[in-house]
Amino acid sequence: QVQLVESGGGLVQPGGSLRLSCAASGFTLDYYNIGWFRQAPGKEREGVSCIRSSDDTTYYANSVKGRFTISRDNTKKMVYLQMNSLKPEDTAVYYCAARWGKFHSGWSVMTEYAYWGQGTQVTVSS
């Protein structure tokens, strides 16, 4: 069955870095757009980044642009989110999600994605 498993979260000081990984199984990663979302306590889940299946075009939320980088390795069935210059406001549970086909409402809309991982906690604190 389709499965997405996130890893790499943890506690990091402000200004530090983390690399999140999303391991895909049960489907051909090459054909899927992969998004990263996050949800902080008391807030709605928001889109952080996305990498498109067709041409590896990447998208970022304004709040993370220039600090986060999304990438994928289809042969390893992995998607990564490199997070640099982390801030306390980046603290959240981070999820990866998969969608087959073109977006209708945009990459950052949760309902566009059919498959979700269980999430990994990222805490940025001194």
PDB file of all heavy atoms in Angstrom, residues 32-62:
ATOM      1  N   TYR A  32       4.697  11.421  -9.080  1.00  0.00           N
ATOM      2  CA  TYR A  32       3.948  12.146  -8.067  1.00  0.00           C
ATOM      3  C   TYR A  32       4.601  13.468  -7.699  1.00  0.00           C
ATOM      4  O   TYR A  32       5.819  13.566  -7.565  1.00  0.00           O
ATOM      5  CB  TYR A  32       3.806  11.295  -6.805  1.00  0.00           C
ATOM      6  CG  TYR A  32       2.742  10.241  -6.929  1.00  0.00           C
ATOM      7  CD1 TYR A  32       2.965   9.097  -7.694  1.00  0.00           C
ATOM      8  CD2 TYR A  32       1.512  10.386  -6.294  1.00  0.00           C
ATOM      9  CE1 TYR A  32       1.984   8.138  -7.822  1.00  0.00           C
ATOM     10  CE2 TYR A  32       0.531   9.422  -6.417  1.00  0.00           C
ATOM     11  CZ  TYR A  32       0.768   8.299  -7.181  1.00  0.00           C
ATOM     12  OH  TYR A  32      -0.202   7.345  -7.311  1.00  0.00           O
ATOM     13  N   ASN A  33       3.771  14.488  -7.546  1.00  0.00           N
ATOM     14  CA  ASN A  33       4.197  15.730  -6.931  1.00  0.00           C
ATOM     15  C   ASN A  33       4.268  15.503  -5.420  1.00  0.00           C
ATOM     16  O   ASN A  33       3.368  14.875  -4.846  1.00  0.00           O
ATOM     17  CB  ASN A  33       3.184  16.841  -7.208  1.00  0.00           C
ATOM     18  CG  ASN A  33       2.919  17.019  -8.677  1.00  0.00           C
ATOM     19  OD1 ASN A  33       3.814  17.317  -9.452  1.00  0.00           O
ATOM     20  ND2 ASN A  33       1.669  16.804  -9.082  1.00  0.00           N
ATOM     21  N   ILE A  34       5.312  16.003  -4.793  1.00  0.00           N
ATOM     22  CA  ILE A  34       5.480  15.833  -3.354  1.00  0.00           C
ATOM     23  C   ILE A  34       5.535  17.199  -2.686  1.00  0.00           C
ATOM     24  O   ILE A  34       6.296  18.078  -3.090  1.00  0.00           O
ATOM     25  CB  ILE A  34       6.770  15.063  -3.027  1.00  0.00           C
ATOM     26  CG1 ILE A  34       6.760  13.693  -3.715  1.00  0.00           C
ATOM     27  CG2 ILE A  34       6.909  14.919  -1.508  1.00  0.00           C
ATOM     28  CD1 ILE A  34       5.670  12.755  -3.236  1.00  0.00           C
ATOM     29  N   GLY A  35       4.700  17.322  -1.659  1.00  0.00           N
ATOM     30  CA  GLY A  35       4.682  18.567  -0.900  1.00  0.00           C
ATOM     31  C   GLY A  35       5.101  18.343   0.534  1.00  0.00           C
ATOM     32  O   GLY A  35       4.968  17.244   1.075  1.00  0.00           O
ATOM     33  N   TRP A  36       5.642  19.376   1.123  1.00  0.00           N
ATOM     34  CA  TRP A  36       5.905  19.407   2.567  1.00  0.00           C
ATOM     35  C   TRP A  36       4.969  20.431   3.186  1.00  0.00           C
ATOM     36  O   TRP A  36       4.847  21.553   2.673  1.00  0.00           O
ATOM     37  CB  TRP A  36       7.347  19.798   2.866  1.00  0.00           C
ATOM     38  CG  TRP A  36       8.341  18.709   2.676  1.00  0.00           C
ATOM     39  CD1 TRP A  36       9.131  18.490   1.585  1.00  0.00           C
ATOM     40  CD2 TRP A  36       8.684  17.681   3.615  1.00  0.00           C
ATOM     41  NE1 TRP A  36       9.926  17.389   1.786  1.00  0.00           N
ATOM     42  CE2 TRP A  36       9.680  16.871   3.028  1.00  0.00           C
ATOM     43  CE3 TRP A  36       8.247  17.361   4.901  1.00  0.00           C
ATOM     44  CZ2 TRP A  36      10.243  15.774   3.672  1.00  0.00           C
ATOM     45  CZ3 TRP A  36       8.808  16.273   5.547  1.00  0.00           C
ATOM     46  CH2 TRP A  36       9.791  15.484   4.944  1.00  0.00           C
ATOM     47  N   PHE A  37       4.315  20.035   4.253  1.00  0.00           N
ATOM     48  CA  PHE A  37       3.425  20.894   5.010  1.00  0.00           C
ATOM     49  C   PHE A  37       3.897  20.912   6.461  1.00  0.00           C
ATOM     50  O   PHE A  37       4.649  20.044   6.884  1.00  0.00           O
ATOM     51  CB  PHE A  37       1.989  20.368   4.948  1.00  0.00           C
ATOM     52  CG  PHE A  37       1.326  20.555   3.618  1.00  0.00           C
ATOM     53  CD1 PHE A  37       1.682  19.758   2.541  1.00  0.00           C
ATOM     54  CD2 PHE A  37       0.368  21.535   3.427  1.00  0.00           C
ATOM     55  CE1 PHE A  37       1.081  19.931   1.292  1.00  0.00           C
ATOM     56  CE2 PHE A  37      -0.242  21.711   2.195  1.00  0.00           C
ATOM     57  CZ  PHE A  37       0.121  20.906   1.134  1.00  0.00           C
ATOM     58  N   ARG A  38       3.413  21.880   7.207  1.00  0.00           N
ATOM     59  CA  ARG A  38       3.710  21.911   8.632  1.00  0.00           C
ATOM     60  C   ARG A  38       2.507  22.427   9.400  1.00  0.00           C
ATOM     61  O   ARG A  38       1.687  23.174   8.873  1.00  0.00           O
ATOM     62  CB  ARG A  38       4.938  22.766   8.930  1.00  0.00           C
ATOM     63  CG  ARG A  38       4.763  24.253   8.664  1.00  0.00           C
ATOM     64  CD  ARG A  38       6.094  24.963   8.865  1.00  0.00           C
ATOM     65  NE  ARG A  38       5.978  26.400   8.638  1.00  0.00           N
ATOM     66  CZ  ARG A  38       7.008  27.243   8.617  1.00  0.00           C
ATOM     67  NH1 ARG A  38       8.245  26.787   8.810  1.00  0.00           N
ATOM     68  NH2 ARG A  38       6.820  28.527   8.411  1.00  0.00           N
ATOM     69  N   GLN A  39       2.433  21.995  10.653  1.00  0.00           N
ATOM     70  CA  GLN A  39       1.346  22.436  11.520  1.00  0.00           C
ATOM     71  C   GLN A  39       1.899  22.726  12.904  1.00  0.00           C
ATOM     72  O   GLN A  39       2.404  21.819  13.576  1.00  0.00           O
ATOM     73  CB  GLN A  39       0.243  21.390  11.586  1.00  0.00           C
ATOM     74  CG  GLN A  39      -0.990  21.870  12.320  1.00  0.00           C
ATOM     75  CD  GLN A  39      -2.187  20.983  12.101  1.00  0.00           C
ATOM     76  OE1 GLN A  39      -2.066  19.827  11.689  1.00  0.00           O
ATOM     77  NE2 GLN A  39      -3.370  21.507  12.343  1.00  0.00           N
ATOM     78  N   ALA A  40       1.787  23.988  13.284  1.00  0.00           N
ATOM     79  CA  ALA A  40       2.197  24.405  14.616  1.00  0.00           C
ATOM     80  C   ALA A  40       1.007  24.291  15.568  1.00  0.00           C
ATOM     81  O   ALA A  40      -0.144  24.321  15.118  1.00  0.00           O
ATOM     82  CB  ALA A  40       2.712  25.838  14.566  1.00  0.00           C
ATOM     83  N   PRO A  41       1.258  24.177  16.869  1.00  0.00           N
ATOM     84  CA  PRO A  41       0.156  24.063  17.825  1.00  0.00           C
ATOM     85  C   PRO A  41      -0.824  25.220  17.693  1.00  0.00           C
ATOM     86  O   PRO A  41      -0.415  26.389  17.656  1.00  0.00           O
ATOM     87  CB  PRO A  41       0.865  24.085  19.176  1.00  0.00           C
ATOM     88  CG  PRO A  41       2.226  23.580  18.888  1.00  0.00           C
ATOM     89  CD  PRO A  41       2.569  24.081  17.514  1.00  0.00           C
ATOM     90  N   GLY A  42      -2.098  24.893  17.598  1.00  0.00           N
ATOM     91  CA  GLY A  42      -3.128  25.915  17.525  1.00  0.00           C
ATOM     92  C   GLY A  42      -3.263  26.599  16.180  1.00  0.00           C
ATOM     93  O   GLY A  42      -4.043  27.544  16.044  1.00  0.00           O
ATOM     94  N   LYS A  43      -2.510  26.127  15.186  1.00  0.00           N
ATOM     95  CA  LYS A  43      -2.559  26.756  13.861  1.00  0.00           C
ATOM     96  C   LYS A  43      -2.987  25.742  12.808  1.00  0.00           C
ATOM     97  O   LYS A  43      -2.889  24.531  13.016  1.00  0.00           O
ATOM     98  CB  LYS A  43      -1.197  27.355  13.499  1.00  0.00           C
ATOM     99  CG  LYS A  43      -0.790  28.517  14.371  1.00  0.00           C
ATOM    100  CD  LYS A  43       0.451  29.191  13.832  1.00  0.00           C
ATOM    101  CE  LYS A  43       0.827  30.414  14.643  1.00  0.00           C
ATOM    102  NZ  LYS A  43       2.034  31.103  14.107  1.00  0.00           N
ATOM    103  N   GLU A  44      -3.417  26.251  11.686  1.00  0.00           N
ATOM    104  CA  GLU A  44      -3.776  25.378  10.576  1.00  0.00           C
ATOM    105  C   GLU A  44      -2.525  24.844   9.888  1.00  0.00           C
ATOM    106  O   GLU A  44      -1.459  25.467   9.928  1.00  0.00           O
ATOM    107  CB  GLU A  44      -4.625  26.149   9.559  1.00  0.00           C
ATOM    108  CG  GLU A  44      -6.005  26.521  10.073  1.00  0.00           C
ATOM    109  CD  GLU A  44      -6.876  27.113   8.982  1.00  0.00           C
ATOM    110  OE1 GLU A  44      -6.388  27.319   7.867  1.00  0.00           O
ATOM    111  OE2 GLU A  44      -8.059  27.365   9.277  1.00  0.00           O
ATOM    112  N   ARG A  45      -2.695  23.698   9.260  1.00  0.00           N
ATOM    113  CA  ARG A  45      -1.590  23.135   8.492  1.00  0.00           C
ATOM    114  C   ARG A  45      -1.352  24.018   7.261  1.00  0.00           C
ATOM    115  O   ARG A  45      -2.301  24.443   6.592  1.00  0.00           O
ATOM    116  CB  ARG A  45      -1.927  21.712   8.062  1.00  0.00           C
ATOM    117  CG  ARG A  45      -0.742  20.902   7.595  1.00  0.00           C
ATOM    118  CD  ARG A  45      -1.100  19.450   7.396  1.00  0.00           C
ATOM    119  NE  ARG A  45      -1.513  18.808   8.638  1.00  0.00           N
ATOM    120  CZ  ARG A  45      -1.717  17.504   8.765  1.00  0.00           C
ATOM    121  NH1 ARG A  45      -1.549  16.704   7.713  1.00  0.00           N
ATOM    122  NH2 ARG A  45      -2.095  17.004   9.923  1.00  0.00           N
ATOM    123  N   GLU A  46      -0.083  24.286   6.989  1.00  0.00           N
ATOM    124  CA  GLU A  46       0.256  25.169   5.880  1.00  0.00           C
ATOM    125  C   GLU A  46       1.286  24.539   4.963  1.00  0.00           C
ATOM    126  O   GLU A  46       2.141  23.750   5.397  1.00  0.00           O
ATOM    127  CB  GLU A  46       0.806  26.507   6.404  1.00  0.00           C
ATOM    128  CG  GLU A  46       2.084  26.389   7.191  1.00  0.00           C
ATOM    129  CD  GLU A  46       2.686  27.743   7.560  1.00  0.00           C
ATOM    130  OE1 GLU A  46       2.167  28.779   7.115  1.00  0.00           O
ATOM    131  OE2 GLU A  46       3.707  27.744   8.280  1.00  0.00           O
ATOM    132  N   GLY A  47       1.214  24.895   3.686  1.00  0.00           N
ATOM    133  CA  GLY A  47       2.170  24.399   2.721  1.00  0.00           C
ATOM    134  C   GLY A  47       3.507  25.079   2.889  1.00  0.00           C
ATOM    135  O   GLY A  47       3.566  26.306   3.039  1.00  0.00           O
ATOM    136  N   VAL A  48       4.567  24.296   2.871  1.00  0.00           N
ATOM    137  CA  VAL A  48       5.922  24.811   3.026  1.00  0.00           C
ATOM    138  C   VAL A  48       6.658  24.800   1.687  1.00  0.00           C
ATOM    139  O   VAL A  48       7.283  25.787   1.303  1.00  0.00           O
ATOM    140  CB  VAL A  48       6.692  23.963   4.058  1.00  0.00           C
ATOM    141  CG1 VAL A  48       8.157  24.382   4.116  1.00  0.00           C
ATOM    142  CG2 VAL A  48       6.037  24.057   5.421  1.00  0.00           C
ATOM    143  N   SER A  49       6.576  23.673   0.987  1.00  0.00           N
ATOM    144  CA  SER A  49       7.315  23.522  -0.265  1.00  0.00           C
ATOM    145  C   SER A  49       6.724  22.382  -1.072  1.00  0.00           C
ATOM    146  O   SER A  49       6.005  21.532  -0.539  1.00  0.00           O
ATOM    147  CB  SER A  49       8.792  23.250   0.040  1.00  0.00           C
ATOM    148  OG  SER A  49       9.548  23.156  -1.159  1.00  0.00           O
ATOM    149  N   CYS A  50       7.055  22.372  -2.353  1.00  0.00           N
ATOM    150  CA  CYS A  50       6.565  21.311  -3.236  1.00  0.00           C
ATOM    151  C   CYS A  50       7.565  21.126  -4.362  1.00  0.00           C
ATOM    152  O   CYS A  50       8.206  22.095  -4.802  1.00  0.00           O
ATOM    153  CB  CYS A  50       5.196  21.684  -3.791  1.00  0.00           C
ATOM    154  SG  CYS A  50       4.567  20.570  -5.060  1.00  0.00           S
ATOM    155  N   ILE A  51       7.700  19.867  -4.810  1.00  0.00           N
ATOM    156  CA  ILE A  51       8.513  19.590  -5.992  1.00  0.00           C
ATOM    157  C   ILE A  51       7.655  18.815  -6.979  1.00  0.00           C
ATOM    158  O   ILE A  51       7.018  17.822  -6.632  1.00  0.00           O
ATOM    159  CB  ILE A  51       9.814  18.843  -5.617  1.00  0.00           C
ATOM    160  CG1 ILE A  51      10.707  18.680  -6.852  1.00  0.00           C
ATOM    161  CG2 ILE A  51       9.528  17.495  -4.936  1.00  0.00           C
ATOM    162  CD1 ILE A  51      12.149  18.320  -6.502  1.00  0.00           C
ATOM    163  N   ARG A  52       7.602  19.318  -8.177  1.00  0.00           N
ATOM    164  CA  ARG A  52       6.707  18.774  -9.190  1.00  0.00           C
ATOM    165  C   ARG A  52       7.313  17.538  -9.845  1.00  0.00           C
ATOM    166  O   ARG A  52       8.523  17.464 -10.036  1.00  0.00           O
ATOM    167  CB  ARG A  52       6.422  19.855 -10.240  1.00  0.00           C
ATOM    168  CG  ARG A  52       5.091  19.760 -10.898  1.00  0.00           C
ATOM    169  CD  ARG A  52       4.692  21.067 -11.530  1.00  0.00           C
ATOM    170  NE  ARG A  52       5.597  21.472 -12.596  1.00  0.00           N
ATOM    171  CZ  ARG A  52       5.395  22.573 -13.316  1.00  0.00           C
ATOM    172  NH1 ARG A  52       4.358  23.354 -13.066  1.00  0.00           N
ATOM    173  NH2 ARG A  52       6.249  22.888 -14.267  1.00  0.00           N
ATOM    174  N   SER A  53       6.475  16.615 -10.210  1.00  0.00           N
ATOM    175  CA  SER A  53       6.957  15.362 -10.785  1.00  0.00           C
ATOM    176  C   SER A  53       7.452  15.540 -12.209  1.00  0.00           C
ATOM    177  O   SER A  53       8.417  14.900 -12.621  1.00  0.00           O
ATOM    178  CB  SER A  53       5.845  14.308 -10.761  1.00  0.00           C
ATOM    179  OG  SER A  53       4.738  14.749 -11.525  1.00  0.00           O
ATOM    180  N   SER A  54       6.783  16.421 -12.977  1.00  0.00           N
ATOM    181  CA  SER A  54       7.042  16.477 -14.410  1.00  0.00           C
ATOM    182  C   SER A  54       8.418  17.035 -14.736  1.00  0.00           C
ATOM    183  O   SER A  54       9.076  16.556 -15.673  1.00  0.00           O
ATOM    184  CB  SER A  54       5.961  17.320 -15.097  1.00  0.00           C
ATOM    185  OG  SER A  54       5.918  18.614 -14.533  1.00  0.00           O
ATOM    186  N   ASP A  55       8.838  18.042 -13.978  1.00  0.00           N
ATOM    187  CA  ASP A  55      10.091  18.706 -14.342  1.00  0.00           C
ATOM    188  C   ASP A  55      10.910  19.159 -13.132  1.00  0.00           C
ATOM    189  O   ASP A  55      11.835  19.946 -13.287  1.00  0.00           O
ATOM    190  CB  ASP A  55       9.805  19.911 -15.238  1.00  0.00           C
ATOM    191  CG  ASP A  55       8.866  20.901 -14.589  1.00  0.00           C
ATOM    192  OD1 ASP A  55       8.497  20.689 -13.410  1.00  0.00           O
ATOM    193  OD2 ASP A  55       8.474  21.872 -15.253  1.00  0.00           O
ATOM    194  N   ASP A  56      10.544  18.691 -11.949  1.00  0.00           N
ATOM    195  CA  ASP A  56      11.233  19.052 -10.704  1.00  0.00           C
ATOM    196  C   ASP A  56      11.168  20.552 -10.405  1.00  0.00           C
ATOM    197  O   ASP A  56      12.011  21.066  -9.663  1.00  0.00           O
ATOM    198  CB  ASP A  56      12.698  18.596 -10.727  1.00  0.00           C
ATOM    199  CG  ASP A  56      12.824  17.099 -10.453  1.00  0.00           C
ATOM    200  OD1 ASP A  56      11.792  16.457 -10.149  1.00  0.00           O
ATOM    201  OD2 ASP A  56      13.942  16.572 -10.553  1.00  0.00           O
ATOM    202  N   THR A  57      10.196  21.237 -10.943  1.00  0.00           N
ATOM    203  CA  THR A  57       9.975  22.622 -10.531  1.00  0.00           C
ATOM    204  C   THR A  57       9.665  22.654  -9.041  1.00  0.00           C
ATOM    205  O   THR A  57       8.933  21.789  -8.540  1.00  0.00           O
ATOM    206  CB  THR A  57       8.804  23.241 -11.305  1.00  0.00           C
ATOM    207  OG1 THR A  57       9.147  23.289 -12.694  1.00  0.00           O
ATOM    208  CG2 THR A  57       8.503  24.649 -10.823  1.00  0.00           C
ATOM    209  N   THR A  58      10.239  23.636  -8.355  1.00  0.00           N
ATOM    210  CA  THR A  58      10.039  23.731  -6.908  1.00  0.00           C
ATOM    211  C   THR A  58       9.253  24.982  -6.541  1.00  0.00           C
ATOM    212  O   THR A  58       9.310  26.004  -7.237  1.00  0.00           O
ATOM    213  CB  THR A  58      11.381  23.730  -6.169  1.00  0.00           C
ATOM    214  OG1 THR A  58      12.179  24.816  -6.648  1.00  0.00           O
ATOM    215  CG2 THR A  58      12.119  22.427  -6.387  1.00  0.00           C
ATOM    216  N   TYR A  59       8.540  24.880  -5.438  1.00  0.00           N
ATOM    217  CA  TYR A  59       7.739  25.979  -4.930  1.00  0.00           C
ATOM    218  C   TYR A  59       8.009  26.112  -3.436  1.00  0.00           C
ATOM    219  O   TYR A  59       8.237  25.106  -2.755  1.00  0.00           O
ATOM    220  CB  TYR A  59       6.243  25.708  -5.133  1.00  0.00           C
ATOM    221  CG  TYR A  59       5.864  25.434  -6.571  1.00  0.00           C
ATOM    222  CD1 TYR A  59       5.841  24.136  -7.070  1.00  0.00           C
ATOM    223  CD2 TYR A  59       5.543  26.479  -7.435  1.00  0.00           C
ATOM    224  CE1 TYR A  59       5.500  23.873  -8.386  1.00  0.00           C
ATOM    225  CE2 TYR A  59       5.197  26.225  -8.751  1.00  0.00           C
ATOM    226  CZ  TYR A  59       5.174  24.922  -9.219  1.00  0.00           C
ATOM    227  OH  TYR A  59       4.844  24.673 -10.527  1.00  0.00           O
ATOM    228  N   TYR A  60       7.943  27.338  -2.945  1.00  0.00           N
ATOM    229  CA  TYR A  60       8.189  27.588  -1.534  1.00  0.00           C
ATOM    230  C   TYR A  60       7.220  28.629  -0.991  1.00  0.00           C
ATOM    231  O   TYR A  60       6.866  29.582  -1.695  1.00  0.00           O
ATOM    232  CB  TYR A  60       9.619  28.093  -1.309  1.00  0.00           C
ATOM    233  CG  TYR A  60      10.688  27.110  -1.713  1.00  0.00           C
ATOM    234  CD1 TYR A  60      11.269  27.157  -2.970  1.00  0.00           C
ATOM    235  CD2 TYR A  60      11.097  26.111  -0.831  1.00  0.00           C
ATOM    236  CE1 TYR A  60      12.233  26.240  -3.345  1.00  0.00           C
ATOM    237  CE2 TYR A  60      12.065  25.191  -1.195  1.00  0.00           C
ATOM    238  CZ  TYR A  60      12.619  25.260  -2.461  1.00  0.00           C
ATOM    239  OH  TYR A  60      13.576  24.339  -2.830  1.00  0.00           O
ATOM    240  N   ALA A  61       6.851  28.454   0.262  1.00  0.00           N
ATOM    241  CA  ALA A  61       6.134  29.507   0.958  1.00  0.00           C
ATOM    242  C   ALA A  61       7.069  30.689   1.161  1.00  0.00           C
ATOM    243  O   ALA A  61       8.282  30.503   1.324  1.00  0.00           O
ATOM    244  CB  ALA A  61       5.635  28.996   2.306  1.00  0.00           C
ATOM    245  N   ASN A  62       6.519  31.882   1.160  1.00  0.00           N
ATOM    246  CA  ASN A  62       7.351  33.073   1.328  1.00  0.00           C
ATOM    247  C   ASN A  62       8.148  33.030   2.632  1.00  0.00           C
ATOM    248  O   ASN A  62       9.272  33.524   2.697  1.00  0.00           O
ATOM    249  CB  ASN A  62       6.487  34.327   1.300  1.00  0.00           C
ATOM    250  CG  ASN A  62       5.985  34.639  -0.090  1.00  0.00           C
ATOM    251  OD1 ASN A  62       6.588  34.259  -1.089  1.00  0.00           O
ATOM    252  ND2 ASN A  62       4.860  35.333  -0.169  1.00  0.00           N
TER     253      ASN A  62
END
